[in-house]
Amino acid sequence: MGAYHIIGGNILSGEIKVQGSKNSSLPILAATVLNPYKSTIYDVPDIKDISIMIDILRFLGAKISRKANTIVIDSSNIKTWEVPEYLMRKMRSSIILMGALLGRFGEVRVSYPGGCEIGPRPIDLHLKGLAQMGVNLQERHGFIFAEAKNLMGADIHFDFPSVGATENLMLAGVLAKGDTILRNVAKEPEIVDLQNFLNKMGADVKGAGTDTIKIRGCNIRDLNVVEDYTVIPDRIAAGTYLVAAAITRGDVILKNVVMEHMEPILAKLRETGCKISCHDDFIQLSAQNPLYSLDSLRTLPYPGFPTDMQAPMMAFLTTVDGTSILTETVFENRFKHAEELKRMGANITINGNTAIIKGVKKLTGAKVEANDLRAGAALIIAALAAEGKTCVEGSTHVERGYENIEGNLSRLGAKIVKID
Ligand code: EPZ
């Protein structure tokens, strides 16, 4: 399973470059299925989830070369629309291949996706939208068979601004007949990045970042080679490193950030008393006591405070004097890290989807277990400030989303090693 061994107590300082966005790269890689030509994509993070997506695309017939953070994909030879179950179950976001495969081939066979243990993770909004586009869906034995002789544009209103459902239906709309309007969509920066990539590919997508997205269906012959596309920086990885600095009362500089994407996170860090200065392409954070607890921190769809930052932020707040109230409104079961933080001396009471965090003078090192990607990051963050040694088991969860987190934190002065 692999583990991180951390000796707490060092104050982080220095400068690192933030990785490209995992949650942008995954839908953009899925989008290349629509395009029978080559796409060259830069700043793709070197993480496990990307490797899984590459394995799936290669299984479908794509030719892919990967050099550091550059990926070249030739999708001309993609000829199968069945995604193998053993790969589907490794990563939830593989479900967005449905829209792309339906657009390219008019049919797809996938199994129900796997993913993090942070809630049931249903896909009803995906399937409801596809059905409105004329897709005939059959579910049996844990598989979904979908086919659409003619994928038709539709006017679709989402019950909830689901990120994945928004991406799936954007991809399905690109080669559909007629126009598709998506309403009450997710407004995350990664949705805008996907729109920009699709338009660079020759598609016609407008409105990403607002409540309504319009996709003008086009013919596959209208698409073209994507010579070079650079993925946006990962705002969650950036937020994770800022919180790592804050818990050690350190002073760090992050390069390769988009300030606007960071705002929801920076606003809450400033509220705790962190000093943050924003420059053209870097952020500096310094955190000296006194720091202040947060009366109310609620996770919400963008531009609210991101749910992916909830666990890292909880870890930080366990060391801030006073009582912080944290409410998770996006996922049903995303507090598993609280029990592990309590093994390190944190004072956290969970009441439904609300966590009451009372700051303690110090955390103590312990053996703890990561249950999902962001929970693992939170435990590493807590270990940086804990007295003595901490062993965070389950490094494979963390490697899914963070490129070389141990190298980056070491560069900032942390004592951390990864044991495979
Ligand atoms: C994306 O997941 C991200 N993953 C998640 O990041 C992120 O936490 C989430 O969006 C919210 O921002 C990727 O982009 C690869 P949703 P996704 O559909 O698309 C419910 C990380 O740590 N829902 O917006 O799965 C669902 O149960 C990961 O990087 C339905 O009810 O999120 C959840 O409660 C974790 N029916 C809520 O919506 C549906 O059909 C948000 O889900 C779809 C979703």
Side-chain angles (χ1 to χ4, degrees), residues 149-208:
K149 289 289 167 270
N150 281 314
L151 197 57
M152 303 302 290
D155 190 328
I156 299 164
H157 188 287
F158 287 117
D159 300 346
F160 175 87
S162 153
V163 170
T166 302
E167 292 162 348
N168 223 344
L169 275 300
M170 284 168 78
L171 296 177
V174 169
L175 296 179
K177 286 191 175 39
D179 294 352
T180 297
I181 298 177
L182 306 178
R183 302 177 193 276
N184 190 30
V185 294
K187 296 185 274 197
E188 273 70 4
E190 295 76 27
I191 305 284
V192 179
D193 213 18
L194 176 60
Q195 169 180 281
N196 294 341
F197 178 79
L198 289 170
N199 290 340
K200 191 136 191 191
M201 197 167 81
D204 180 350
V205 186
K206 293 187 178 63

Side-chain angles (χ1 to χ4, degrees), residues 22-23 92 121-125 162-164 308 330-331 374:
K22 164 178 88 80
N23 292 349
R92 167 179 171 73
R121 315 289 300 271
I123 55 170
D124 56 306
L125 300 179
S162 153
V163 170
D308 294 344
V330 178
F331 286 102
R374 306 301 175 185

Side-chain angles (χ1 to χ4, degrees), residues 310-363:
Q310 180 256 105
M313 198 66 170
M314 182 188 284
F316 167 46
L317 292 171
T318 66
T319 69
V320 173
D321 202 17
T323 301
S324 297
I325 311 286
L326 200 167
T327 306
E328 171 59 60
T329 75
V330 178
F331 286 102
E332 300 81 0
N333 180 22
R334 202 170 195 179
F335 280 149
K336 287 192 177 159
H337 43 283
E339 280 315 305
E340 298 301 302
L341 290 169
K342 285 159 77 172
R343 291 163 61 82
M344 299 175 72
N347 181 340
I348 306 168
T349 310
I350 301 293
N351 182 0
N353 68 343
T354 296
I356 297 142
I357 304 145
K358 287 194 172 52
V360 293
K361 285 273 167 288
K362 68 176 169 50
L363 297 171

Side-chain angles (χ1 to χ4, degrees), residues 38-98:
K38 256 188 193 177
S39 306
T40 302
I41 308 163
Y42 297 105
D43 260 9
V44 179
D46 182 6
I47 54 177
K48 276 200 167 26
D49 272 10
I50 296 300
S51 303
I52 295 168
M53 183 60 91
I54 287 174
D55 289 347
I56 293 174
L57 294 174
R58 281 186 173 138
F59 180 93
L60 298 175
K63 286 192 177 36
I64 301 177
S65 67
R66 185 183 189 180
K67 210 165 88 198
N69 300 112
T70 301
I71 293 189
V72 181
I73 299 184
D74 177 349
S75 312
S76 54
N77 281 329
I78 287 188
K79 49 188 167 309
T80 176
W81 49 83
E82 296 194 352
V83 183
E85 180 175 11
Y86 75 95
L87 287 174
M88 272 297 291
R89 298 183 70 78
K90 282 186 178 181
M91 182 179 64
R92 167 179 171 73
S93 50
S94 35
I95 196 68
I96 54 173
L97 282 158
M98 279 190 85

